């Protein structure tokens, strides 16, 4: 019998980050298992983007431990960067077509010409970009551009995908399309770590939720979505019993 437990996608212990004299993250512990969608929920300024930047090894912690896909962000930042996809990290070049942007990203991941082409074609199909594949990215609508950014983030087949407010600024139809893609990626085995201010977003997508408030985690667990027939269909539903009995968490998200 194989008793080896799969490594968590993210393991943080006592994570601290300061900016000047300001403590932005104050001892954050996180354990994100492989697979599924993990939502980090919190109001503006809670520290979500800082967590995402630490997870992608774009910045280093000032204290605590952080491993992503089994790699230590301080000792092995290059391995962490290779293991994560970060939406928006590779900038879309508006003068290139949608397809060319994907091929360029595939090239950055050293996929090789044939693999790059088939990966780009697959993503264009699956992310509903067929109609704009040959158009300059600058002409894409906002929702198409967001789907392109998502596709570019997963060209290299990262085991962990980091998303910071992936549906912000999108209209409801485009929001649903992005959520559908996020769900498909998670169902295909990608661990999605999604930072959001929106309880509706967390309720629509999350398998697990942690609530960040003032740089500290104040709640975590599984949303009560099974009882909610609207899951994934609407951005406006109340999140019933989402943080039952946890007043701190309710306060933390009351303005989101
Ligand atoms: N480089 C920096 N220098 C000074 N303060 C910073 C810096 N980066 C972040 N902060 C502060 O740290 C806090 C957390 O910022 P962060 O962007 O991580 O929050 P957030 O939860 O992502 O917020 P939002 O939802 O508005 O994006 C904020 O108060 C922000 O002003």
């Amino acid at each position: 019998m194989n008793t080896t437990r799969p490594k968590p996608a993210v393991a943080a212990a006592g994570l601290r980050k300061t900016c000047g004299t300001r403590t932005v993250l104050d001892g954050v512990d996180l354990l994100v298992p492989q697979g599924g969608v993990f939502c980090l929920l919190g109001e503006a300024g809670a520290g979500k983007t800082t967590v995402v930047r630490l997870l992608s090894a774009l910045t280093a912690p000032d204290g605590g431990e952080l491993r992503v896909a089994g790699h230590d962000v301080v000792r092995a930042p290059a391995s962490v960067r290779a293991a994560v996809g970060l939406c928006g990290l590779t900038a879309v070049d508006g003068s290139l077509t949608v397809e060319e942007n994907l091929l360029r990203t595939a090239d950055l991941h050293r996929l090789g010409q044939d693999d790059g082409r088939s990966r780009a074609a697959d993503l264009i199909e699956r992310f509903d970009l067929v109609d704009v594949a040959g158009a300059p990215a600058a002409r894409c609508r906002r929702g198409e551009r967001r789907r392109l950014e998502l596709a570019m983030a997963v060209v290299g087949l990262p085991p962990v995908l980091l998303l910071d407010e992936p549906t912000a600024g999108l209209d409801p139809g485009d929001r649903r399309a992005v959520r559908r893609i996020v769900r498909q990626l998670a169902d295909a085995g990608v661990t999605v770590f999604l930072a959001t201010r929106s309880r509706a977003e967390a309720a629509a997508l999350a398998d697990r939720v942690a609530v960040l408030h003032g740089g500290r985690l104040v709640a975590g667990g599984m949303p009560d979505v099974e009882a909610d027939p609207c899951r994934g269909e609407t951005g406006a539903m109340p999140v019933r019993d989402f943080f039952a009995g946890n007043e701190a968490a309710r306060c933390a998200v009351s303005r989101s």
Side-chain angles (χ1 to χ4, degrees):
M1 189 172 72
N2 183 2
T3 52
T4 318
R5 283 220 197 133
K7 287 195 179 86
V10 174
L15 199 58
R16 285 178 54 77
K17 183 71 184 171
T18 54
C19 289
T21 56
R22 178 157 191 190
T23 301
V24 177
L25 297 177
D26 192 8
V28 170
D29 299 329
L30 276 176
L31 198 61
V32 180
Q34 285 180 26
V37 180
F38 183 95
C39 279
L40 184 64
L41 181 62
E43 64 197 351
K48 304 179 299 295
T49 299
T50 305
V51 171
V52 170
R53 287 175 59 77
L54 288 167
L55 291 175
S56 49
L58 287 175
T59 183
D62 295 307
E65 304 234 344
L66 177 59
R67 296 178 82 82
V68 181
H71 308 292
D72 186 291
V73 295
V74 175
R75 291 189 203 97
S79 302
V80 170
R81 281 183 216 119
V84 301
L86 176 59
C87 199
L89 185 64
T90 309
V92 171
D93 184 333
S95 68
L96 298 180
T97 67
V98 164
E99 184 182 26
E100 286 165 348
N101 270 285
L102 284 164
L103 291 173
R104 184 178 62 113
T105 313
D107 204 33
L108 290 174
H109 286 278
R110 303 202 168 103
L111 281 193
Q113 228 176 31
D114 289 349
D115 283 353
R117 283 199 179 282
S118 80
R119 185 87 186 116
D122 178 48
L123 288 167
I124 284 168
E125 179 84 33
R126 283 199 290 136
F127 286 34
D128 195 15
L129 291 165
V130 174
D131 292 348
V132 291
R139 291 225 208 108
C140 286
R141 291 187 309 103
R142 194 178 288 198
E144 292 161 347
R145 193 182 174 99
R146 193 68 52 85
R147 296 204 296 281
L148 172 58
E149 287 170 347
L150 264 172
M152 287 165 70
V154 297
V155 160
L157 296 172
V160 179
L161 175 64
L162 306 174
L163 300 173
D164 196 356
E165 305 284 5
T167 62
L170 299 184
D171 65 33
D174 286 328
R175 213 181 299 149
R176 275 196 296 276
V178 166
R179 287 179 182 166
R180 211 165 28 240
I181 288 169
V182 169
R183 198 64 248 172
Q184 277 170 14
L185 289 167
D187 290 345
V190 177
T191 304
V192 180
F193 187 102
L194 188 154
T196 181
R197 296 180 198 180
S198 161
R199 277 179 297 175
E201 183 104 315
L205 279 172
D207 298 302
R208 291 181 174 75
V209 180
V211 182
L212 191 65
H213 179 57
R216 291 173 184 227
L217 285 186
V218 293
M222 294 184 178
D224 178 22
V225 288
E226 262 162 32
D228 199 322
C230 297
R231 184 181 185 196
E233 296 301 314
T234 170
M237 67 191 175
V239 185
R240 218 168 345 106
D241 297 333
F242 204 60
F243 306 112
N246 189 324
E247 283 311 307
R250 280 186 192 284
C251 292
V253 296
S254 61
R255 277 167 285 150
S256 56

